[in-house]
Amino acid sequence: IGAADDQAGSYAPSSFLLAAVVMAFTAGSFAELTGRFPKSAGEAIYVEGGFGWPWLTRATGGFIVLSAIVAAAAITLGGAGYVVSIIDLPRSWVVVGIVVIMGAVATWGVLESVTFAAIFTVLEIIGLMIIVVAGFWTNPGIISRLPEVFPPLTDTVALSAVFTTSLIAFFAFIGFDDVVNLVEETKTPQRDMPRAIIWTLLAATLIYFLVVSVAVLTIPHADLTETGAPISVLFERLTGLSPLAISLIAIAATLNGIVIQIIMASRVLYGLGNAGRIPTVFARVNSVTHTPLISTLLVSVLVLLLALFLPIDRLAEMTTQIILIVFVLVNLSLARIKLRRDPAPEGIFIAPIWVPVLGSLTCLGLLAGPLLI
């Protein structure tokens, strides 16, 4: 939120909406592909199903793992900012502690890890909704001011800011695609995966738009951009209460994001190793934890290195750029599958062909836009 407000100011909520629209078409493609190919390393398997080129499958898998590692590093820095606002510790120590603990959780077991993530997700939603309710309760005029978050269509400078900031905002919606890499551990994926993808995207869009709108319409620009804990500042200003509780919730939310990204990246390495696309050592499952231990440890080490040496805004932009490349490939794969008229398994979600076509074009536009502006 702070990074988006720094670039787009009061128009930051529009950047989140634009990012959600771009994500929606790709979500539709994922909803169908997860039924066609219910395997771990989802995106890589989808690309292989569409193109059949082993080198592109490996490249896609590499992109997915890299994006998850970079994303986890960015989220780690976000969580460290909230921890440091509570406890006066060197940020590097906090970063090391967070990654070590979350890596341990990810190696513990998939059921335990997902349960951990589910509990923290509920806490995150509760914390964000408290901010939304407090914002509208203490400032009822926000409702009438909501049109202010949309830039005039004649203001090219504002539109450019919204467009470029959508790369950072897009980072907020990365995650629905992580679910597909747990498809082999889902009982009824044909039914549950499309629902999970679509409902997650809708809920995230609504919550982010409301939270960011409350933030930019109630808190001075400098206060949001100069702090490492924007949600805590927002809560304190709106309620007059100590930001400790919301800071703890924010920390829980970031820990949730880290463990999910580590799980996802390790499952992609497992899936590629199991399919023989990379060395099979990455597909080894520990007999005690029943998780791919080597893959999880490798991912955790790389997350730690990036979190220690790169800034959060650069990590967020890098994540978005990498994942947009993957999304372009996934959408093109589904378009090729549909043009070949490959038969689909019975009972799966089917998207119209314009969904992957628009998914490819919108992802390309978001990826290339900043280069053209």
Side-chain angles (χ1 to χ4, degrees), residues 146-210:
L146 281 178
E148 296 178 20
V149 306
F150 300 103
L153 297 179
T154 56
D155 190 340
T156 56
V157 174
L159 291 174
S160 296
V162 167
F163 197 86
T164 55
T165 306
S166 61
L167 270 178
I168 292 177
F170 193 84
F171 180 82
F173 297 97
I174 292 172
F176 83 81
D177 50 306
D178 294 348
V179 221
V180 303
N181 291 299
L182 292 174
V183 68
E184 292 185 34
E185 292 154 301
T186 305
K187 291 182 179 179
T188 52
Q190 291 86 354
R191 181 197 68 190
D192 294 340
M193 282 294 173
R195 292 180 181 179
I197 290 169
I198 293 168
W199 281 106
T200 297
L201 181 58
L202 289 173
T205 301
L206 177 62
I207 292 172
Y208 266 108
F209 176 76
L210 291 176

Side-chain angles (χ1 to χ4, degrees), residues 85-126:
S85 71
I86 298 174
I87 307 172
D88 186 18
L89 288 174
R91 185 181 293 264
S92 59
W93 293 10
V94 175
V95 167
V96 171
I98 288 175
V99 175
V100 168
I101 294 172
M102 291 305 98
V105 171
T107 61
W108 186 10
V110 66
L111 180 60
E112 293 82 2
S113 300
V114 171
T115 301
F116 173 91
I119 293 171
F120 277 22
T121 297
V122 172
L123 289 175
E124 178 180 0
I125 293 173
I126 290 173

Side-chain angles (χ1 to χ4, degrees), residues 227-302:
T227 177
I231 291 294
S232 297
V233 171
L234 188 57
F235 179 83
E236 186 176 20
R237 298 288 178 84
L238 291 175
T239 65
L241 301 174
S242 168
L244 177 60
I246 203 70
S247 293
L248 292 174
I249 291 176
I251 292 169
T254 55
L255 297 181
N256 172 33
I258 297 163
V259 74
I260 287 296
Q261 294 297 333
I262 292 176
I263 290 172
M264 190 271 280
S266 64
R267 292 311 185 277
V268 173
L269 289 175
Y270 162 81
L272 290 172
N274 199 40
R277 298 297 180 234
I278 60 175
T280 55
V281 65
F282 294 105
R284 290 181 185 172
V285 175
N286 184 270
S287 59
V288 177
T289 64
H290 304 290
T291 58
L293 190 59
I294 294 174
S295 294
T296 305
L297 291 175
L298 174 63
V299 169
S300 300
V301 169
L302 293 175

